[in-house]
Every structure is written in C-alpha cells, then in structure tokens.
C-alpha cells in the first residue's frame, strides 16, 4: 500500500530517466481508490516468492563482508533477518530478486528515488545508500541478503519456518 501510494502521490516514478517507475506511476495514478484497494488486496493474497538459482549465487561476492555491512548499515531499519520494519517504513528484502535490490539501491544513490520533498523514508535510504562505495560492496550486501531467504525447494510451510520468527509483516498479512 505504501509503495502504490508513493507512486500515486509522486514520491516514486517522478524521475524522467527512471522509465520503469515512471510507467508504474502513470498506471497507479489512473487507479481509483477502490481499484487501488483491490490491487493491494490481490497482491496481499499472493504467495511469498523466494528467489532461486542465480539470485542465491554468491559468485564474485564476499558474503561475510556483506553480512558485516548489512549488520552495520542495513539491519537497524530492515531488521536482523531482512524482513523489514513497519515502524520505520522499511520493506522486507527477503523475497526480492537480487537484480531488483541492486537496481533500487542504484536509484537511491543516483537520485532517481528518495529525493522528493516530504519523502522522509526515501531520504533516509538515500543517505544509507551512500555507504556503498562500489559495485563489489553492492554485490557483497545483496549476496548476504539472498542467504536470508528460505530454501525455494521446500514447501511454503517449511519456508515460513525457515524465515526467523519475528517479522512484523507476517502478522500484517505480508
């Protein structure tokens, strides 16, 4: 809901060089309130997806360094298990594809996200993303985040058990 509202209110999808987000913004702005609520209800019912294959591959990444960086810079807002924190408006990172996390961090770093006046959480992420000095650090952090995902080969029930208990999004339906 927060993300759809971000598109509808212009906090996301505002940068002319971010064509994917601009398209999403145009679509979200066309939704009536009832349609937006229907989309949110539908998405909430979708099963959690777990990245598989290359997304869990830590080739060319230092997972131990990524863990240290995550614990120092990301954990405060995204929690120890990357399940997000409602109080901070920080979304879960588990379940996201590696390419998506890398792209979004890049958008925060280059000013395509988090720069609209009043986007407090986005501004925090812009500042937080500045610690990633190069592509290697980005690969390391994302490779560690991918290790926090449950095994995609097991049942959804077992996957849920593998995600360390305590995610505020589980009780909120996501």
């Amino acid at each position: 809901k927060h993300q759809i509202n971000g598109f509808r209110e212009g906090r996301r999808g505002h940068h002319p060089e971010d064509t994917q987000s601009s398209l999403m913004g145009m679509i979200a702005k066309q939704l009536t309130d009832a349609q937006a609520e229907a989309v949110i209800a539908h998405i909430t019912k979708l099963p959690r997806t777990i990245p598989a294959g290359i997304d869990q591959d830590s080739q060319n990444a230092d997972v131990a360094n990524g863990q240290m960086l995550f614990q120092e810079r990301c954990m405060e807002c995204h929690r120890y298990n990357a399940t997000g924190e409602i109080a901070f408006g920080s979304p879960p990172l588990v379940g996201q594809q590696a390419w998506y996390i890398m792209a979004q961090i890049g958008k925060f770093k280059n000013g395509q996200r988090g720069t609209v006046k009043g986007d407090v959480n986005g501004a925090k992420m812009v500042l937080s993303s500045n610690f990633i000095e190069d592509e290697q650090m980005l690969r390391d952090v994302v490779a560690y985040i991918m290790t926090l995902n449950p095994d995609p080969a097991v049942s959804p029930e077992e996957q849920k058990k593998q995600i360390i208990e305590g995610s505020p999004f589980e009780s909120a339906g996501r």
Side-chain angles (χ1 to χ4, degrees), residues 48-57 97 146-160 162:
R48 179 186 304 273
T49 58
I50 306 301
I54 196 165
D55 282 301
Q56 289 198 350
D57 184 4
Q97 300 287 327
M146 292 298 106
T147 70
L148 299 173
N149 284 294
D151 182 352
V154 301
S155 71
E157 295 79 23
E158 185 60 31
Q159 288 176 2
K160 195 167 186 171
Q162 290 178 4

Side-chain angles (χ1 to χ4, degrees), residues 58-129:
S58 60
Q59 185 178 17
N60 299 318
D62 182 343
V63 176
N65 186 51
Q67 179 178 9
M68 180 192 69
L69 293 168
F70 180 87
Q71 289 173 345
E72 288 178 355
R73 308 295 175 102
C74 309
M75 186 171 73
E76 182 177 342
C77 293
H78 291 281
R79 297 180 52 92
Y80 63 95
N81 56 1
T83 56
E85 180 57 66
I86 291 173
F88 297 135
S90 303
L93 302 175
V94 292
Q96 299 294 343
Q97 300 287 327
W99 68 265
Y100 179 79
I101 295 172
M102 293 176 83
Q104 297 314 302
I105 291 172
K107 289 176 184 184
F108 283 113
K109 285 185 70 64
N110 71 22
Q112 292 180 3
R113 280 192 71 181
T115 57
V116 173
K117 186 177 180 178
D119 185 1
V120 176
N121 291 333
K124 285 191 287 187
M125 189 59 199
V126 168
L127 290 173
S128 296
S129 67

Side-chain angles (χ1 to χ4, degrees), residues 8-54:
R8 291 178 85 198
E9 296 165 6
R11 288 189 312 272
R12 290 197 62 187
H14 61 85
H15 198 280
E17 293 176 19
D18 186 0
T19 54
Q20 290 175 324
S21 294
S22 294
L23 178 61
M24 184 66 184
M26 287 187 280
I27 293 168
K29 288 174 184 172
Q30 296 301 312
L31 298 174
T32 65
D33 290 344
Q35 290 170 328
E37 289 299 323
V39 169
I40 293 163
H42 175 73
I43 291 170
T44 301
K45 292 177 186 172
L46 293 174
R48 179 186 304 273
T49 58
I50 306 301
I54 196 165

